[in-house]
């Protein structure tokens, strides 16, 4: 029987773990009928926080004046009104977490983020599938007293909008129209 050292066993175990994770990821993607690019541009965006790997979702940042800036980015098939609900739900949820009873929001502003179509690798230009997004943004201020006439209750608004987002469906014709609008804005028609 061969004498195997501890270092060799560790290397073999690490290699097996990497291969196992790769296989699980490949099977998961194949089972979903998706690619990594498709995951970033799923049909309709849900209430989730955006990150580097999944740019669709909400993001919260601070403005210089003390207000909060909330953006909700979504796949091309996600209409602006759904993204507005996501942004408002995130603002309300954040206010509730910060123990703020009420909040007011500016009217939503819709913009478009058009992805790259080419990249370079070792001097070679490679065509890539762009990740285009519709982005809705609002600015939010919080207050405990609810004096402003447009103030909304943070906790109630968060619960209501998150519930609506879970049950709402976007009809295929609305998804198609939204996708077409983003394609036109990004010059892809």
């Amino acid at each position: 029987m061969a004498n195997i050292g501890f270092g060799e066993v560790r290397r073999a175990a690490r290699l097996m773990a990497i291969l196992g994770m790769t296989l699980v990821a490949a099977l998961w993607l194949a089972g979903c009928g998706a690619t990594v690019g498709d995951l970033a541009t799923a049909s309709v965006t849900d209430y989730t926080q955006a990150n580097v790997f999944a740019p669709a979702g909400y993001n919260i940042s601070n403005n210089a004046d003390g207000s909060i800036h909330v953006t909700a980015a979504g796949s091309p098939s996600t209409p602006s009104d759904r993204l507005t609900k996501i942004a408002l739900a995130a603002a309300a949820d954040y206010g509730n977490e910060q123990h703020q009873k009420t909040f007011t929001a500016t009217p939503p502003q819709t913009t478009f983020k058009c992805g790259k179509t080419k990249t370079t690798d070792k001097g070679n230009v490679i065509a890539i599938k762009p990740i285009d997004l519709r982005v809705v943004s609002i600015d939010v201020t919080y207050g405990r007293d609810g004096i402003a006439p447009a103030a909304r209750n943070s906790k109630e608004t968060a619960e209501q909008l998150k519930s609506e987002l879970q049950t709402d469906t976007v009809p295929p014709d609305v998804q198609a129209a939204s996708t077409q609008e983003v394609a036109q804005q990004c010059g892809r028609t």
Side-chain angles (χ1 to χ4, degrees):
M1 184 176 266
N3 198 1
I4 299 176
F6 183 69
E8 293 171 359
V9 171
R10 283 185 22 195
R11 277 193 293 278
R14 190 172 34 235
L15 179 61
M16 293 293 284
I18 291 170
L19 290 173
M21 288 186 289
T22 304
L23 179 61
V24 167
L27 290 172
W28 183 75
L29 286 172
C32 293
T35 65
V36 173
D38 294 334
L39 294 176
T41 57
S43 60
V44 176
T45 303
D46 290 324
Y47 180 75
T48 186
Q49 190 167 8
N51 62 52
V52 174
F53 301 108
Y58 68 85
N59 192 17
I60 299 173
S61 59
N62 295 317
N63 287 328
D65 65 0
S67 63
I68 301 295
H69 186 70
V70 182
T71 58
S75 65
S77 61
T78 306
S80 292
D81 61 342
R82 181 170 179 86
L83 292 174
T84 299
K85 277 186 185 182
I86 290 171
L88 286 170
D93 212 14
Y94 180 79
N96 189 42
E97 289 172 3
Q98 300 300 313
H99 307 290
Q100 299 290 329
K101 289 180 81 173
T102 61
F103 73 99
T104 56
T106 60
Q109 302 295 315
T110 302
T111 58
F112 301 88
K113 182 178 176 186
C114 303
K116 294 182 193 180
T117 58
K118 295 180 178 152
T119 189
T120 58
D121 181 35
K122 298 178 184 175
N124 296 324
V125 176
I126 302 168
I128 58 173
K129 180 180 176 184
I131 298 175
D132 299 331
L133 300 168
R134 179 187 315 269
V135 181
V136 170
S137 59
I138 58 174
D139 289 314
V140 181
T141 54
Y142 296 97
R144 295 184 185 272
D145 52 15
I147 295 174
R152 298 176 184 219
N153 181 291
S154 296
K155 183 177 182 179
E156 291 172 5
T157 302
E159 290 172 356
Q160 176 193 353
L161 290 175
K162 289 186 334 186
S163 174
E164 286 177 19
L165 287 165
Q166 286 180 339
T167 59
D168 283 352
T169 58
V170 180
D173 60 327
V174 174
Q175 290 184 40
S178 294
T179 301
Q180 182 61 32
E181 180 185 19
V182 173
Q184 288 175 341
Q185 290 293 324
C186 290
R188 306 210 196 282
T189 56

